[in-house]
Amino acid sequence: MKSLVLAKQVPGNDSPFRIDGAGTWIEEGNLTFGLNDYDRYGLEALLKLKDAGGVTEVVALTVGPERASAVLRTCLATGADRAIHVKDDALAGADPLSVAKVIAAAIQGEDFSLIVAGLQADDDNYGQTGPLLARLLDRPCATAVMGLELQDGAVRVERELENNRLQVVDLTLPAVITVQTGINEPRYASLKGIMAAKKKEIKTVGLSDLGLDASIVGSAASRMKTVRLDVPPKGEGAEIIEGGPDEIAAELVKRIREKTGVI
Amino acid sequence: MACKAIIVAEHEGGAVRDITYELLGLAHKLAGEAGWNAAADIKAVFLGNGVEKLAGEIAARGAAEVIYIEGQALAEYTGDAYHRAIEEVVKAEDPAIVLFGHTPNSWDAAPLVSAGLDRPLATECSAITFDGGKALFTRKVFNGKFVQIVDLGGAQPLIATVMRGAAQPSAPGGGGSVRKIQPSFAAGDLRARFIEIKKGETGAVDLSQAEIIVAGGRGVGSAEKISVVRDLADSLGGQVGASRPVTDMGWLPHEHQVGSSGVTVSPKLYIACGISGAIQHIVGMRGAGYIIAVNKDRDAPIFGVADVGVVGDLFEILPALSKAVKEARGQG
Ligand SMILES: Cc1cc2nc3c(=O)[nH]c(=O)nc-3n(C[C@H](O)[C@H](O)[C@H](O)COP(=O)(O)OP(=O)(O)OC[C@H]3O[C@@H](n4cnc5c(N)ncnc54)[C@H](O)[C@@H]3O)c2cc1C
Ligand SMILES: Nc1ncnc2c1ncn2[C@@H]1O[C@H](COP(=O)(O)O)[C@@H](O)[C@H]1O
């Protein structure tokens, strides 16, 4: 049983984030990039199934510029078997529906029984690529998965709801799921894994290789467009207490006493 | 049969979920901006089995018509069943906009409908406005560091998922009708089968009853360093809370997680340490009586909900505060 993990490259949490000159995205110059956190959990979910024998092959796929191949290397070093990199200048800024169409085309003929995406990407926070792909492929889908188990011709998943509740649902394979963080404990690449990854294949394809036209899936064709990015509005907000640690502590004790009575 | 706005209503445990009325309120606001006839142009689609009474409640609060799709296949939410039913209604009604709640189920279904209709989707919107005939959708990116305004290129229908609190709920009145229809498919046609709803992990600690909570976030840095948070909690005689990354990474068990997918708390005192203040965290703790935030980033959204804040390193502030609290309580 073949499986696919979608792996997106995103700026790391500690990157310096600044709105770019055009005002529609962020300056990329000083960012450090890494594998989207949700996708680390997605990869681990498939590696676990492979360890247990249910899955025979784990393939990682990214859609992104040259630098995005680094996340495929990460996946290969961590245990994925091979990788697909869809790279085309015409895709810069493509909307999620376009990206999903590109992914659908890139895996045509591959026959993946289980496709795993992250619940959302830490950059755009769209939270839609996985289910978009599911619908384009006409496969059942479940999002925000916090537990999964392979069954005969199906996968049983636990979807996260609010207030610490889970919905258990069986999906007939082939299926698509998106994982929520915390579903498992992602492993890290070992030195051996990093060495082994060097011999693994990354297939790079562009839109023309996929028989796709930029006028249908490229950024120019994307209907969802960013008008601008803004800094979030700041409300009234907290009164900021200043001073050295001990002065601040003394002031906080006073406030806690007056306002809450718990001391 | 055409209309301008369709909202996707939700119910749970035998009641209409509040988000339904917020979506209707938003649809009314949009009708005002776009010049639609709110009394005829706003409809709700409502799916379930044996919940016709609830459909009537929605019709009495601002929907001109509730299209109630009833069937065994819709008794419980599955993306497979719900997206098919919603897609069929949207195709028949050809609205200008379709509004979903940004809730676990509607967020699951909306992208399926978006791809099925080949129309773009704006998720997690905090505001939608018509500006000179063009709809603009406001949503967060980079986990709340920035707000993004998107345009869906004049697609028909426009599709969005809308956060709680984005609009005032619709008021009672209007006396809309309910039209009951059956889905075009049976439960046996589906590729998703509902099994059960179950409770997530629970443990010995129940934060929902705590009077004092000191909560640590990703800024604490590691499982070992949670001890600075625990020391402060101990000095105050309180409990330790956490943001999601802390429990995801196993620094603390799941039962300590505060927020939309954890516990909702309402202590007298909540001290958030190294927590940025994502909306999913805030909804779980904004009911606290007094909120103190310690964060090294002055722009962290947590300062927007806190009563007082300290901009600084939690590893300097927390030990000093623990010591001062102990002294104040005569234990120093
Ligand atoms: C469906 C869904 C459900 C979710 N449910 C929840 C939920 O129930 N609860 C929840 O909490 N989250 C939840 N999340 C995750 C949420 O969106 C945020 O990602 C999360 O709350 C961020 O946690 P954080 O603030 O600890 O980490 P970050 O956002 O990474 O913030 C860390 C903060 O620590 C500060 N910091 C770093 N070092 C120091 C230092 N030395 N001293 C002081 N400050 C420091 C930084 O300035 C930063 O503000 C959910 C997400 C989704 C998509
Ligand atoms: N460009 C991309 N390349 C690979 N995977 C992607 C890409 N965009 C989105 N995904 C996958 O879809 C998930 C959700 O992304 P999004 O819909 O952008 O929030 C991510 O966690 C990835 O698994």
Side-chain angles (χ1 to χ4, degrees):
Chain A
M1 168 172 152
K2 284 169 42 171
S3 68
L4 178 74
V5 60
L6 300 184
K8 188 176 189 191
Q9 192 190 41
V10 297
N13 253 311
D14 299 326
S15 287
F17 289 94
R18 265 188 293 276
I19 297 177
D20 65 14
T24 53
W25 204 240
I26 56 165
E27 277 176 22
E28 299 218 332
N30 300 317
L31 302 177
T32 50
F33 286 93
L35 177 58
N36 186 38
D37 214 24
Y38 291 83
D39 300 342
R40 291 173 53 238
Y41 289 96
L43 174 63
E44 179 63 32
L46 289 177
L47 293 177
K48 269 192 138 102
L49 294 178
K50 196 182 166 201
D51 291 344
V55 158
T56 52
E57 189 183 34
V58 178
V59 180
L61 181 147
T62 199
V63 179
E66 182 60 38
R67 59 169 161 73
S69 64
V71 300
L72 295 178
R73 283 283 159 222
T74 303
C75 292
L76 293 173
T78 314
D81 298 292
R82 63 186 166 91
I84 302 169
H85 185 175
V86 185
K87 190 176 76 169
D88 201 304
D89 291 343
L91 289 172
D95 71 7
L97 189 49
S98 300
V99 171
K101 286 176 186 173
V102 168
I103 297 171
I107 62 172
Q108 217 176 16
E110 281 271 16
D111 191 26
F112 293 116
S113 298
L114 186 60
I115 298 178
V116 177
L119 171 62
Q120 63 181 29
D122 277 325
D123 52 359
D124 56 44
N125 295 179
Y126 287 141
Q128 49 173 294
T129 307
L132 290 175
L133 177 64
R135 182 70 181 88
L136 295 173
L137 299 172
D138 193 22
R139 294 179 180 189
C141 180
T143 57
V145 168
M146 278 299 271
L148 81 164
E149 187 191 326
L150 282 182
Q151 302 191 326
D152 195 18
V155 58
R156 174 161 295 186
V157 300
E158 296 179 359
R159 290 182 54 231
E160 183 177 279
L161 306 177
E162 290 146 327
N163 302 316
N164 199 25
R165 287 169 316 130
L166 298 161
Q167 185 202 40
V168 185
V169 52
D170 286 351
L171 303 179
T172 304
L173 294 175
V176 179
I177 63 168
T178 75
V179 295
Q180 170 62 296
T181 56
I183 176 178
N184 51 38
E185 289 169 38
R187 67 193 73 180
Y188 285 94
S190 63
L191 195 59
K192 198 167 136 243
I194 295 169
M195 298 309 290
K198 299 203 166 117
K199 296 198 199 78
K200 292 179 183 171
E201 182 205 352
I202 297 183
K203 186 170 98 183
T204 303
V205 293
L207 288 183
S208 59
D209 302 311
L210 301 176
L212 290 174
D213 195 308
S215 68
I216 298 166
V217 294
S219 47
S222 291
R223 286 162 291 180
M224 183 158 93
K225 291 225 170 12
T226 304
V227 178
R228 64 173 190 276
L229 288 199
D230 277 339
V231 177
K234 287 211 183 67
E236 279 274 290
E239 176 195 344
I240 302 294
I241 307 216
E242 301 189 7
D246 291 328
E247 287 167 76
I248 291 173
E251 184 60 29
L252 289 178
V253 166
K254 197 174 128 219
R255 302 290 177 105
I256 293 171
R257 212 172 233 154
E258 283 167 8
K259 301 288 184 182
T260 73
V262 300
I263 302 183
Chain B
M1 291 225 296
C3 67
K4 294 295 185 191
I6 290 189
I7 68 108
V8 178
E10 284 190 54
H11 61 102
E12 183 178 66
V16 178
R17 298 196 73 186
D18 293 344
I19 184 75
T20 302
Y21 300 121
E22 294 188 13
L23 293 174
L24 281 169
L26 177 59
H28 278 266
K29 187 204 84 139
L30 293 174
E33 292 171 1
W36 301 332
N37 174 8
D41 288 340
I42 298 172
K43 296 189 179 181
V45 54
F46 187 58
L47 305 90
N49 200 26
V51 287
E52 190 163 358
K53 186 176 144 286
L54 301 185
E57 291 177 18
I58 300 165
R61 257 185 94 165
E65 181 179 65
V66 177
I67 303 164
Y68 171 46
I69 318 179
E70 185 180 68
Q72 189 53 45
L74 299 167
E76 297 286 350
Y77 175 84
T78 63
D80 201 16
Y82 274 51
H83 91 265
R84 290 190 206 199
I86 296 167
E87 253 177 70
E88 284 170 11
V89 166
V90 171
K91 278 187 185 145
E93 297 286 333
D94 192 25
I97 192 165
V98 181
L99 301 173
F100 290 83
H102 193 74
T103 59
N105 289 346
S106 289
W107 178 16
D108 184 90
L112 300 172
V113 173
S114 157
L117 298 172
D118 193 26
R119 294 292 179 275
L121 163 69
T123 46
E124 209 173 356
C125 296
S126 55
I128 304 177
T129 48
F130 274 101
D131 184 11
K134 187 153 123 186
L136 293 177
F137 301 79
T138 305
R139 57 185 306 282
K140 70 160 177 64
V141 286
F142 297 98
N143 298 324
K145 289 186 187 74
F146 301 109
V147 169
Q148 179 196 33
I149 289 102
V150 298
D151 155 17
L152 296 180
Q156 162 120 3
L158 303 160
I159 313 175
T161 71
V162 180
M163 288 174 69
R164 273 194 200 83
Q168 289 297 319
S170 57
S177 58
V178 174
R179 176 158 56 96
K180 184 155 102 178
I181 59 176
Q182 285 182 345
S184 64
F185 49 88
D189 301 334
L190 299 174
R191 300 157 301 174
R193 285 165 303 284
F194 171 86
I195 306 297
E196 61 168 336
I197 302 278
K198 66 176 202 183
K199 193 115 188 75
E201 268 175 67
T202 49
V205 182
D206 180 9
L207 291 185
S208 66
Q209 305 303 319
E211 293 234 309
I212 302 170
I213 295 174
V214 183
R218 203 200 303 263
V220 174
S222 71
E224 298 72 50
K225 294 187 195 154
I226 289 290
S227 60
V228 296
V229 176
R230 181 166 289 129
D231 286 348
L232 179 57
D234 286 348
S235 71
L236 284 160
Q239 304 274 5
V240 177
S243 66
R244 182 165 188 137
V246 168
T247 56
D248 280 349
M249 293 185 282
W251 301 351
L252 282 170
H254 177 74
E255 71 238 40
H256 292 270
Q257 186 189 309
V258 173
S260 62
S261 55
V263 261
T264 301
V265 300
S266 48
K268 288 184 179 158
L269 173 64
Y270 191 89
I271 308 183
C273 315
I275 293 177
S276 63
I279 182 68
Q280 295 92 350
H281 188 79
I282 289 178
V283 295
M285 48 65 81
R286 65 178 158 207
Y290 195 65
I291 300 172
I292 299 176
V294 181
N295 195 304
K296 64 180 186 188
D297 175 8
R298 176 65 185 95
D299 294 329
I302 191 73
F303 289 122
V305 289
D307 294 289
V308 293
V310 177
V311 180
D313 184 352
L314 70 93
F315 295 104
E316 288 176 13
I317 307 300
L318 267 55
L321 183 54
S322 296
K323 188 163 145 267
V325 169
K326 282 186 199 144
E327 282 166 11
R329 303 179 91 199
Q331 301 166 357

